[in-house]
Amino acid sequence: MAEASVMGTSLLQVTGLSKSFAGIKAVDDVSFSVEAGSVTALIGPNGSGKSTTIDCISGFTKADAGRVILAGKDITGASAHTVAASGLVRTFQNVRVYERFSLRDNLRIAAGGSAATNPLTFARVREKAPSSEILDEHIERVGLQRYREAPAAILSYGQRKLLALAATLILNPAIIILDEPLAGVNPSVIRDLSRLLDALKSERRTFVIIEHNIPFVMRHADHVVVLEAGRKLMEGPPVTVRADERVMRAYLGGSGSDVATEKVP
Ligand SMILES: Nc1ncnc2c1ncn2[C@@H]1O[C@H](COP(=O)(O)OP(=O)(O)O)[C@@H](O)[C@H]1O
Ligand SMILES: [Mg+2]
């Protein structure tokens, strides 16, 4: 293994990950590492294997091959529950909530101490739910305090993504993976998320973010991993990735419309 980052003490080390569906290689020998306190962006056209990669890492899909090491612990093939308990919590591209339950109750279920399924992150890592104060603090953190007692049905698509982020934060995991947090989200929520991410980065939280919004990636990522047709096309700092012709070609070859280019504050 030639890459220094893979040999070091990265918080997350993914090596040779592969996953096929009916003979189609959705993820093909993908390796990358995530440093503690960094934001790693996973980008690539639709269908390039981003979600499947994190499904394999987070225990929602079993990889055919490869190794996943989290904080020195081998979590390859571990269940989603075990992975979450080991400190890796993720959100989903299509966030689901209990529409009739209040935000506070949705978050209470997500935070543990409930036998109910937690559709926000599917993680259940605690024995006891936190106090209402702690729940409210996290709802406030993502800017949804006005709605905390309202049924989650009233939340917009973007606000549901904010609630899912709160559901990861309340578990205080070592690493948070967000699957397309900005897709379908209006500009004001994008601004909120961008500011919140700044604050979380200054707390040295560690993120892996799948995102098509290239300005957002350039603004926030320390390291970018580019997938194309299941394979790693390249990786590096945002400036290097942005300057690489192969990356734009990969997007245009897929569907150029994937790339959002509006400015991020
Ligand atoms: N559960 C599944 N069954 C069959 N094919 C799948 C499944 N999940 C993903 N795929 C296929 O794997 C490839 C990668 O998908 P995905 O990981 O969702 O890409 P991305 O998140 O980059 O858009 C696509 O061709 C997709 O159709
Ligand atoms: Mg996806």
Side-chain angles (χ1 to χ4, degrees):
M1 199 55 55
E3 291 160 58
S5 58
V6 176
M7 300 187 324
T9 52
S10 307
L11 181 54
L12 179 70
Q13 299 176 306
V14 178
T15 314
L17 204 67
S18 295
K19 174 71 182 179
S20 295
F21 294 108
I24 297 187
K25 285 189 167 172
V27 178
D28 187 4
D29 195 23
V30 167
S31 302
F32 64 93
S33 322
V34 175
E35 302 308 314
S38 75
V39 174
T40 298
L42 192 54
I43 71 169
N46 281 333
S48 57
K50 305 180 298 296
S51 291
T52 305
T53 297
I54 67 164
D55 286 349
C56 292
I57 294 170
S58 56
F60 286 85
T61 297
K62 208 164 160 42
D64 300 330
R67 206 163 245 289
V68 183
I69 311 285
L70 174 64
K73 180 180 170 190
D74 192 338
I75 56 162
T76 311
S79 69
H81 173 76
T82 302
V83 173
S86 305
L88 187 151
V89 177
R90 52 86 56 100
T91 64
F92 290 84
Q93 202 169 326
N94 296 304
V95 174
R96 283 186 285 164
V97 296
Y98 285 118
E99 297 214 329
R100 291 192 209 180
F101 291 0
S102 67
L103 270 61
R104 200 190 267 145
D105 284 340
N106 268 281
L107 197 57
R108 195 191 312 276
I109 290 166
S114 165
T117 299
N118 149 28
L120 287 166
T121 65
F122 282 90
R124 195 187 304 142
V125 307
R126 285 197 206 194
E127 297 303 313
K128 260 180 74 180
S131 65
S132 294
E133 289 71 32
I134 302 277
L135 294 171
D136 288 354
E137 254 171 47
H138 284 82
I139 293 172
E140 188 166 353
R141 185 99 217 240
V142 298
L144 295 174
Q145 60 278 12
R146 258 184 303 168
Y147 313 110
R148 65 186 181 207
E149 287 175 63
I154 68 151
L155 295 180
S156 70
Y157 188 70
Q159 288 168 332
R160 289 171 196 222
K161 297 204 170 188
L162 290 170
L163 187 62
L165 176 58
T168 67
L169 292 173
I170 204 162
L171 297 173
N172 198 23
I175 179 162
I176 294 173
I177 304 186
L178 305 176
D179 195 350
E180 301 209 13
L182 306 188
V185 173
N186 73 48
S188 101
V189 174
I190 290 181
R191 272 193 300 275
D192 292 348
L193 250 168
S194 194
R195 270 192 226 109
L196 180 55
L197 196 55
D198 278 332
L200 293 167
K201 279 158 65 180
S202 69
E203 295 167 19
R204 281 191 50 82
R205 297 265 192 176
T206 309
F207 287 94
V208 174
I209 303 181
I210 293 182
E211 190 42 62
H212 285 309
N213 184 315
I214 300 300
F216 186 89
V217 167
M218 294 301 150
R219 162 99 163 67
H220 287 290
D222 300 296
H223 188 71
V224 183
V225 177
V226 187
L227 296 187
E228 184 192 23
R231 294 192 68 92
K232 185 171 74 180
L233 180 66
M234 71 169 300
E235 65 179 316
V239 280
T240 311
V241 168
R242 188 176 45 187
D244 197 290
E245 248 180 54
R246 289 172 296 170
V247 176
M248 263 305 146
R249 219 182 302 131
Y251 269 100
L252 296 172
S255 101
S257 59
D258 289 353
V259 190
T261 49
E262 67 269 20
K263 256 187 92 52
V264 175

